[in-house]
Amino acid sequence: MKLDSEFLKKLSIKSAHAGLVKGDFTAVELAEAYLVEIEKKNPELNAYLEVFADVKEQAEGVDKKIAEARKAGQEGLLDILIGLPMAIKDNILIKGRQCSSASKMLEDYVSTYDATVIEKLKERGVVFLGRTNMDEFAMGGSTENSAFGVTKNPHDLTRVSGGSSGGSASAVGGNLCLVALGSDTGGSIRQPSAFCGTVGLKPTYGTVSRYGVMAMASSLDQIGPIAKTVEDAEIIYDAIRGWDKYDATSYGLPKISKTENNPSTSSGQEKGIRIGVPESFLNQGGIDEVVLKNFRETLQKLEKAGCEVKTIEMPNLHYSLASYYITVFSEVSANMARFDGVRYGASVEGQNLLADYMKTRGEKLGREVRRRIMLGTYVLSAGYYDAYYNKAAQVRELIRRDYAKAFENVDVVATPVAPSPAFEIGKNTSDPLQMYLEDIFTVPINMAGVPGMSVPTGFTSPSATAPNGLPLALQIVAPWRRDDILFELGKIIELCQM
Amino acid sequence: MLDRKDIDNLANLARIALSEEEKTKLQKDMESILGYVSELQKAPTPTDSEAERQKPEGYYLKNVMREDGDSFEPGLNTETILSQAPKRKDNFFVTKKILGDSIS
């Protein structure tokens, strides 16, 4: 069997698993097929910051287990994730490996423990291909804030991959790995997924433990999968979720059964999924025409597929971006205080201890990180705390209630993921506010804590730099702890594309 | 809204050494960003938020406590923790002295 680019493009978790179990190919062959793609494309894409030197050894270990299972006649019992080649965002710790958050501050940092999600994936036999590029400490929406260069879009090398999990999305979209992990504070999984044509899930806040992921804004951060299909994303989500004693925000309740707690939600043919569209919010987004047209067409297809689409009012959504950024600046300035040049990470010498701090942070933290710390220091200062931070916290409650109210009448809220398809590299770098405005549709989901997913819905017309067009996507949002509805609707959206 | 002295003061509080050029750019950026987020002042204020948060569906705002169980055996993690220190001496992080010199 020839494991070439075309083969990898069509590969899913289930088909990869079937191939490994049947012996069509070995885990080493599969991993090496990806290494070939990486060698070919990564110098241009810059999706990976590091490809691990021991990929082959990891895969050999898997092949040994598969051989043993086969010998015992138990290959049918092999874990579905065994031998799966996966990429990990550079802010998730894997013990003994470098982890930099794409920052000069942690350029030489070696993880001293495994993140909980990594521990879970290791137990399942996943093969880790490498660590992927991102905006420094996950602050940004284009990977242009990486200290190690931008990650390019696999569909158009003149455009960004999105961010902050741009490396993971570019790696999945460019077939440099089968699936990847990202983190999402205000859209960092969903927006790069939309830009790179992948499925990206931001699970309900608290579903997945963040132990071992570098904190950006802790009341918003969540880890999730980036995959080629909704089914793949669901498999990874099921593998990484669950309560963890090391993350007090995590919980481990079983999935809520559809029939028991939410009888209104469709469970098949009888009643279609009810999709709400916050029209007045869309009008404020400055949406690109091509995005809006695709959005309408996708909704029409879903109506034909039996879903019900209706207009809903969510009057406080347009305050999301302002309250989100105040919250982020505040939490960033607190979370980044840990970098002191003393305990771990980079250190720059000054005249005295204070100068050590100032120089270390001034020279080793990037421009956007420094900007957010400054803004956080400002909005948290004594005279402004009530006007900014407290007000943002109150408005956050209003946003949460907008969702609670919407979900009394609909099962899903739908919007575009971003106002435009992937933008040109360098377009927003000189204007930070313009860059922030790109997040308008993704941040309300994090503020409310609800789950959201980006699902591919087609392409723009081809151009000279994008021979197949640029990916377009729909964002679907479900009630708290109802990530299952996203998978259900996501699969319907995929069928509508065929 | 923000003057140069404010920027200097914030940089000191945040413990970040900034170049003069960056301070100028930052002053401009911060003004436009703060101008934008200030639109929040127009948002309504919920009056019953505390009561609302006590409801079970206000899930994300409750304290999670645990028993303060057995502590680690002394020294168990010392080597791991110190392995990433820029400077160490025996089982200590090395920093400059803070007594005797003026640090501000």
Side-chain angles (χ1 to χ4, degrees):
Chain A
M1 187 174 248
K2 202 173 166 223
L3 308 189
D4 57 7
S5 317
E6 283 310 304
F7 170 83
L8 295 180
K9 217 179 258 180
K10 290 185 196 122
L11 199 66
S12 70
I13 292 180
K14 281 190 177 166
S15 65
H17 180 66
L20 287 169
V21 170
K22 274 194 280 174
D24 293 343
F25 45 84
T26 64
V28 169
E29 284 167 347
L30 181 61
E32 285 185 333
Y34 278 108
L35 291 180
V36 168
E37 289 301 297
I38 293 169
E39 205 177 318
K40 213 161 52 183
K41 297 183 200 158
N42 197 57
E44 184 88 76
L45 290 177
N46 196 30
Y48 285 92
L49 290 176
E50 179 190 357
V51 179
F52 298 138
D54 65 342
V55 169
K56 202 178 160 199
E57 283 83 350
Q58 292 180 58
E60 279 168 353
V62 168
D63 280 333
K64 221 182 259 171
K65 280 185 199 158
I66 294 176
E68 280 165 22
R70 194 169 287 131
K71 219 168 151 190
Q74 291 186 328
E75 64 265 41
L77 300 177
L78 283 167
D79 194 294
I80 187 151
L81 296 188
I82 196 163
L84 205 98
M86 202 161 169
I88 305 294
K89 187 175 181 178
D90 193 34
N91 62 351
I92 302 173
L93 306 189
I94 310 179
K95 190 175 180 178
R97 299 189 192 274
Q98 266 178 271
C99 193
S100 76
S101 246
S103 177
K104 294 260 180 227
M105 183 64 91
L106 294 175
E107 196 168 2
D108 300 315
Y109 178 77
V110 176
S111 306
T112 51
Y113 62 98
D114 276 329
T116 297
V117 289
I118 295 299
E119 205 177 279
K120 284 171 185 276
L121 293 172
K122 275 186 178 173
E123 277 168 20
R124 306 284 300 271
V126 161
V127 171
F128 299 105
L129 292 175
R131 55 192 174 96
T132 52
N133 199 12
M134 53 187 279
D135 287 293
E136 182 178 3
F137 289 110
M139 298 180 204
S142 65
T143 72
E144 290 167 298
N145 294 334
S146 166
F148 309 112
V150 66
T151 294
K152 292 177 184 164
N153 193 305
H155 297 273
D156 183 342
L157 296 172
T158 65
R159 289 173 189 266
V160 300
S161 55
S164 65
S165 312
S168 287
S170 181
V172 175
N175 292 299
L176 275 59
C177 66
L178 183 52
V179 278
L181 286 188
S183 67
D184 189 314
T185 304
S188 285
I189 286 174
R190 289 159 286 152
Q191 183 253 27
S193 286
F195 284 7
C196 295
T198 58
V199 173
L201 170 73
K202 198 289 289 184
T204 305
Y205 186 77
T207 320
V208 180
S209 164
R210 289 96 42 87
Y211 179 67
V213 62
M214 294 182 195
M216 196 258 267
S218 307
S219 76
L220 302 156
D221 298 341
Q222 191 64 196
I223 303 173
I226 294 175
K228 283 188 288 188
T229 66
V230 172
E231 183 182 75
D232 284 1
E234 185 178 8
I235 293 170
I236 298 300
Y237 163 79
D238 279 333
I240 60 174
R241 67 194 295 265
W243 177 78
D244 181 12
K245 68 175 173 179
Y246 296 124
D247 182 351
T249 65
S250 72
Y251 57 78
L253 291 178
K255 265 188 192 175
I256 298 166
S257 133
K258 282 173 201 170
T259 41
E260 262 173 53
N261 275 317
N262 202 343
S264 58
T265 304
S266 81
S267 50
Q269 291 76 13
E270 296 153 39
K271 217 172 169 192
I273 295 177
R274 297 164 306 170
I275 302 169
V277 179
E279 288 291 346
S280 54
F281 179 51
L282 293 193
N283 297 336
Q284 312 201 6
I287 311 176
D288 198 300
E289 257 174 58
V290 64
V291 169
L292 199 58
K293 186 163 171 278
N294 178 266
F295 177 69
R296 301 283 178 218
E297 284 169 1
T298 304
L299 291 178
Q300 278 168 9
K301 285 181 192 167
L302 288 171
E303 271 184 319
K304 273 189 197 149
C307 298
E308 188 188 333
V309 178
K310 51 172 139 184
T311 301
I312 52 168
E313 291 302 322
M314 299 181 76
N316 297 297
L317 277 199
H318 66 278
Y319 295 118
S320 300
L321 199 67
S323 57
Y324 167 81
Y325 270 102
I326 290 169
T327 307
V328 163
F329 298 150
S330 305
E331 296 187 21
V332 160
S333 77
N335 271 330
M336 292 295 125
R338 71 192 62 189
F339 296 108
D340 56 7
V342 175
R343 292 167 303 157
Y344 57 93
S347 186
V348 183
E349 288 274 325
Q351 291 289 313
N352 50 39
L353 185 59
L354 180 65
D356 285 0
Y357 292 153
M358 305 271 299
K359 282 190 143 185
T360 299
R361 293 163 63 80
E363 290 176 28
K364 297 297 180 180
L365 295 174
R367 197 173 269 270
E368 175 63 16
V369 179
R370 300 199 293 268
R371 183 157 46 221
R372 291 195 190 191
I373 294 172
M374 289 285 282
L375 283 157
T377 308
Y378 179 84
V379 298
L380 289 177
S381 57
Y384 299 107
Y385 181 89
D386 276 330
Y388 288 104
Y389 183 77
N390 263 354
K391 184 73 186 180
Q394 286 170 340
V395 171
R396 184 173 186 170
E397 174 63 18
L398 294 177
I399 295 163
R400 196 189 70 77
R401 283 189 215 173
D402 269 8
Y403 279 101
K405 194 153 170 282
F407 289 130
E408 285 172 10
N409 298 308
V410 296
D411 306 306
V412 168
V413 173
T415 64
V417 181
S420 71
F423 48 84
E424 288 104 355
I425 292 167
K427 182 184 164 228
N428 291 327
T429 40
S430 60
D431 185 351
L433 180 58
Q434 194 53 44
M435 192 70 103
Y436 295 169
L437 295 174
E438 298 283 339
D439 299 341
I440 184 133
F441 296 124
T442 45
V443 299
I445 285 81
N446 301 73
M447 290 302 272
V450 288
M453 185 158 72
S454 170
V455 189
T457 54
F459 291 86
T460 64
S461 311
S463 70
T465 50
N468 299 313
L470 296 168
L472 295 163
L474 180 72
Q475 174 173 250
I476 52 177
V477 182
W480 297 270
R481 306 185 185 191
R482 294 305 308 273
D483 307 60
D484 59 305
I485 299 177
L486 299 180
F487 301 128
E488 188 183 347
L489 181 58
K491 287 170 193 168
I492 297 173
I493 297 168
E494 285 178 333
L495 284 173
C496 289
Q497 304 307 313
M498 289 175 180
Chain B
M1 185 161 131
L2 276 172
D3 60 29
R4 190 54 162 249
K5 252 177 82 183
D6 292 327
I7 300 287
D8 288 339
N9 189 25
L10 288 170
N12 281 330
L13 288 169
R15 302 288 192 249
I16 298 178
L18 296 172
S19 68
E20 292 307 308
E21 178 222 336
E22 184 170 355
K23 282 179 188 170
T24 307
K25 170 88 166 69
L26 204 51
Q27 191 174 339
K28 199 176 123 258
D29 288 343
M30 285 178 70
E31 268 180 13
S32 84
I33 293 164
L34 290 169
Y36 175 77
V37 300
S38 294
E39 81 167 46
L40 212 57
Q41 304 316 319
K42 290 184 273 174
T45 302
T47 47
D48 57 343
S49 62
E50 278 312 312
E52 200 67 27
R53 282 171 193 178
Q54 298 307 316
K55 287 189 186 172
E57 65 266 32
Y59 73 97
Y60 70 96
L61 286 176
K62 60 174 188 285
N63 285 323
V64 178
M65 312 295 272
R66 64 166 175 80
E67 288 302 313
D68 192 7
D70 296 334
S71 56
F72 288 114
E73 187 188 314
L76 192 64
N77 297 313
T78 308
E79 197 48 45
T80 312
I81 292 166
L82 282 165
S83 69
Q84 295 302 310
K87 260 188 186 172
R88 67 180 282 189
K89 193 181 175 204
D90 304 326
N91 278 350
F92 298 97
F93 296 109
V94 175
T95 70
K96 295 200 169 69
K97 64 177 180 177
I98 54 165
L99 296 175
D101 288 345
S102 163
I103 60 157
S104 59

